[in-house]
């Protein structure tokens, strides 16, 4: 017997799902969420929150060793905070918004029915918000040797003595630095020619230099050919380096951080008339609607940039479009991105290559923060900021920064990209002296003037 009476059934209970559910309640809709595992999904349980608690502990250990927490203490604090935030940000909201939570794995029986464990649910509309999971590459010997993903890495209570990290993007770099600061000897293996490979080359270079200066080994252009296990239960990473030479690196543990694949395999999407992309994401139109007009999707499962604020935005929008009157297209024009290493890498908008690739005429300026930004000079921190602007109007197309507080500075740059501000707007705006935020104005000035020629307050 199927249970009807729901206006909306949401598959998943992560950030996209909760944003959708809360928005749907504002329309007075009756809503159920179906969750197969832990309430709250990736961000609060095994993603943003726990990783940032541990990175903070590692930073303290790096900056101020005598007051450092042990890994055991840091993981304990992380578990407490995760449990607290899961309660106040997810569990408590179920009652507050009068949401039904159905426990069990969801899959479509047909386009109008979802099975959730032993229950069959029917609703006027559905939102698929099942997120993504680690996606280990098919390297010969990797499975036999054993590996961890970010999920297990966040629970380790002792640092492996030598850790091989496969994948040099956000998660691999953040956790690589975390373990290095907790005492591991760390090597990062990145198949492409640079770490943070989708960001500005200047940003990749600055972060590469900072991490290697701290003792991490980084192999870029590295093709891992196989993994072998030695008699002492160590693992041997066999790889071809960028010059084509065969090399090996011995490790005690392997952390795989090669991206996350949308969770769509077990949903019987075909049976519901919902198409997936070659990468396994739910295919949607600009309104987050799937091929079945009453089924929408939001968050990591859509193949959108994997950030919690994108997931939450899409969740709200999917609910608007499923239940509201006017369909609204999604706008992902100015999505900021941060890699929470120290120094941070932060960016928004287009890289120079992306802008030129679509035929735009651009100008760029690159600021050496350690030489030109008073706050960076005082704090003895280096880094870079690059601005990409359109030639002529000088509209800000992209901002790319590696440096202290880059994660905060990028918020101002996001306003600039989102609302099409120009270099002149940045130059005409007061920026408090001495802040890292000043780097935006100084970099805009650097389009015309050598920053070395400016006086103290960049006059
Ligand atoms: C280590 C790490 C660090 C990160 N750090 C950041 C950060 O600092 N900032 C940031 O913005 N983003 C970060 N992210 C990314 C962010 O966590 C995700 O983009 C976001 O949580 C995705 O939310 P979602 O709702 O789409 O999916 P999820 O939160 O993954 O929710 C999906 C839910 O669906 C459930 N589910 C799956 N299949 C089924 C099924 N068949 N039936 C029922 N339930 C099902 C899952 O159990 C899960 O609870 C990080 C991710 C990781 C892994």
């Amino acid at each position: 017997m199927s249970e009807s009476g729901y206006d909306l059934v949401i598959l998943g209970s992560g950030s996209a799902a909760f944003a959708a559910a809360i928005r749907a309640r504002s329309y007075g809709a009756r809503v159920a969420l179906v969750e197969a595992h832990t309430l709250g999904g990736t961000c609060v349980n095994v993603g943003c929150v726990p990783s940032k608690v541990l990175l903070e502990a590692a930073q303290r250990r790096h900056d101020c060793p005598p007051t450092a927490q042990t890994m055991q203490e840091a993981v304990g604090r992380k578990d407490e905070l995760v449990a607290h935030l899961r309660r106040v940000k997810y569990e408590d909201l179920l009652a507050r918004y009068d949401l039904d939570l159905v426990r069990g794995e969801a899959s479509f029986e047909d386009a109008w029915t979802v099975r959730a464990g032993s229950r069959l649910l029917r609703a006027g509309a559905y939102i698929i918000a099942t997120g993504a999971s680690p996606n280990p590459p098919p390297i010969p010997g990797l499975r036999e040797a054993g590996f961890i993903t970010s999920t297990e890495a966040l629970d380790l209570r002792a640092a492996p003595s030598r850790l091989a990290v496969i994948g040099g993007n956000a998660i691999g770099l953040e956790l690589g630095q975390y373990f290095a600061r907790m005492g591991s000897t760390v090597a990062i293996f990145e198949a492409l020619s640079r770490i943070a490979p989708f960001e500005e080359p200047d940003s990749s270079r600055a972060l590469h230099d900072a991490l290697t200066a701290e003792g991490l080994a980084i192999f870029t252009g590295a093709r891992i050919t196989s993994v072998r296990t030695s008699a002492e239960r160590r693992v041997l990473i066999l790889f071809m380096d960028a010059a084509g030479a065969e090399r090996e690196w011995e490790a005690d543990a392997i952390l795989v951080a090669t991206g996350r694949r949308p969770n769509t395999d077990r949903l019987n999407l075909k049976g519901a008339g919902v198409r997936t992309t070659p990468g396994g994401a739910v295919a949607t139109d600009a309104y987050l609607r799937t091929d079945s007009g009453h089924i929408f999707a939001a968050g990591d499962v859509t193949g959108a940039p994997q950030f919690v604020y994108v997931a939450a935005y899409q969740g709200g929008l999917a609910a608007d479009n499923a239940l509201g009157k006017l369909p609204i297209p999604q706008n992902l024009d100015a999505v900021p991105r941060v890699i929470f290493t120290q120094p941070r890498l932060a960016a928004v908008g287009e890289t120079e290559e992306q802008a030129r690739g679509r035929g735009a005429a651009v100008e760029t300026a690159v600021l050496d923060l350690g030489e030109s930004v008073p706050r960076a000079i005082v704090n003895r921190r280096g880094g870079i900021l690059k601005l990409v602007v359109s030639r002529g109007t000088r509209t800000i197309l992209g901002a790319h920064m590696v440096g202290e507080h880059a994660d905060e500075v990028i918020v101002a740059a996001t306003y600039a990209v989102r609302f099409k501000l120009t270099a002149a707007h940045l130059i005409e705006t007061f920026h408090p002296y001495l802040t890292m935020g000043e780097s935006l104005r100084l970099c805009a000035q650097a389009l015309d003037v050598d920053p070395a020629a400016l006086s103290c307050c960049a006059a």
Side-chain angles (χ1 to χ4, degrees), residues 277-349:
T277 67
V282 176
T284 63
D285 64 11
Y287 304 94
L288 301 174
R289 192 188 291 270
T290 71
D291 285 354
S292 268
H294 62 295
I295 303 177
F296 293 74
D300 286 3
V301 79
T302 65
Q306 294 184 351
F307 299 110
V308 67
Y309 37 93
V310 173
Y313 161 75
Q314 287 192 325
L317 191 66
D320 282 335
N321 289 343
L323 303 164
K325 291 202 172 62
L326 275 183
I328 307 161
Q330 70 169 334
N331 179 350
L332 297 179
D333 278 354
V335 176
R337 347 179 250 281
V338 177
I339 299 180
F340 287 90
T341 43
Q342 192 190 17
R344 308 273 195 259
L345 181 156
V348 64

Side-chain angles (χ1 to χ4, degrees), residues 11-17 34-49 51-52 104-107 129-132 150-151 154 171 174-175 260 263 266-267 298-301 305-309 311 338 340:
L11 288 71
S13 74
S15 311
V34 186
E35 174 55 57
H37 303 288
T38 314
L39 182 75
T42 302
C43 183
V44 72
N45 293 303
V46 292
C48 333
V49 172
S51 62
K52 269 73 231 176
E105 184 168 356
S107 64
T130 48
S150 61
T151 303
L154 297 171
I171 293 177
E174 289 179 9
L175 291 177
R260 293 167 65 83
N263 294 324
R266 295 159 62 87
L267 300 176
D300 286 3
V301 79
Q306 294 184 351
F307 299 110
V308 67
Y309 37 93
V338 177
F340 287 90

Side-chain angles (χ1 to χ4, degrees), residues 24-343:
R25 290 295 295 139
S26 75
Y27 293 105
R30 205 177 147 218
V31 181
L33 301 109
V34 186
E35 174 55 57
H37 303 288
T38 314
L39 182 75
T42 302
C43 183
V44 72
N45 293 303
V46 292
C48 333
V49 172
S51 62
K52 269 73 231 176
V53 178
L54 297 183
L55 291 176
E56 157 71 13
Q59 181 167 339
R60 278 172 194 265
R61 173 183 283 260
H62 183 74
D63 293 347
C64 196
T67 61
Q69 291 177 318
T70 61
M71 239 174 107
Q72 181 85 16
E73 289 164 340
V75 173
R77 175 163 183 270
K78 180 266 294 180
D79 288 342
E80 275 171 30
L81 200 74
V82 165
H84 170 72
L85 288 178
R86 184 172 53 235
R87 195 178 62 249
V88 299
K89 296 289 176 196
Y90 294 87
E91 280 164 23
D92 291 355
L93 298 189
L94 290 172
R96 189 179 183 127
Y97 287 97
D98 197 13
L99 303 168
D100 284 355
L101 175 68
V102 180
R103 298 276 183 183
E105 184 168 356
S107 64
F108 284 94
E109 288 284 298
D110 55 50
W112 289 99
T113 318
V114 159
R115 174 176 290 283
S118 58
R119 291 171 65 178
L120 291 175
L121 307 171
R122 283 178 73 83
Y126 296 88
I127 295 178
I128 303 166
T130 48
S133 298
N135 186 25
I139 297 171
L142 180 62
R143 275 178 202 282
E144 294 75 4
F147 61 87
I148 56 171
T149 67
S150 61
T151 303
E152 296 78 40
L154 297 171
D155 278 336
L156 289 192
R157 284 166 193 264
S161 137
R162 279 161 310 171
L163 177 70
V165 179
I166 305 180
N169 214 338
I171 293 177
L173 296 172
E174 289 179 9
L175 291 177
Q177 187 178 45
Y178 163 67
F179 281 108
R181 289 181 165 190
M182 288 299 184
S184 301
T185 300
V186 172
I188 293 177
F189 297 87
E190 169 54 53
L192 297 178
S193 62
R194 52 196 175 84
I195 58 167
F198 310 112
E199 298 299 344
E200 271 292 340
D202 295 273
S203 298
S204 298
R205 208 170 303 123
L207 189 55
H208 187 119
D209 291 349
L211 293 176
T212 51
E214 211 177 295
L216 283 85
I218 298 179
F219 300 104
T220 51
R223 199 169 63 78
I224 300 181
T225 48
S226 65
V227 176
R228 278 198 211 137
T229 316
S230 73
E232 306 81 44
R233 298 194 58 75
R234 302 228 168 86
V235 287
L236 210 54
I237 312 278
L238 303 170
F239 67 102
M240 204 90 90
D241 71 13
E246 285 181 17
R247 299 181 56 180
E248 54 185 53
W249 203 81
E250 203 181 43
D252 301 283
I254 302 173
L255 168 61
V256 171
T258 46
R260 293 167 65 83
R261 189 182 152 82
N263 294 324
T264 49
D265 291 349
R266 295 159 62 87
L267 300 176
N268 184 27
L269 292 179
K270 226 184 201 161
V274 172
R275 204 168 30 90
T276 53
T277 67
V282 176
T284 63
D285 64 11
Y287 304 94
L288 301 174
R289 192 188 291 270
T290 71
D291 285 354
S292 268
H294 62 295
I295 303 177
F296 293 74
D300 286 3
V301 79
T302 65
Q306 294 184 351
F307 299 110
V308 67
Y309 37 93
V310 173
Y313 161 75
Q314 287 192 325
L317 191 66
D320 282 335
N321 289 343
L323 303 164
K325 291 202 172 62
L326 275 183
I328 307 161
Q330 70 169 334
N331 179 350
L332 297 179
D333 278 354
V335 176
R337 347 179 250 281
V338 177
I339 299 180
F340 287 90
T341 43
Q342 192 190 17

Side-chain angles (χ1 to χ4, degrees), residues 407-432:
D407 49 337
E408 310 290 347
V409 175
I410 214 64
V411 178
T414 303
Y415 298 141
V417 172
R418 174 86 168 80
F419 298 107
K420 302 192 171 20
L421 302 186
T422 64
H425 286 126
L426 296 186
I427 293 168
E428 287 159 10
T429 302
F430 286 115
H431 288 69

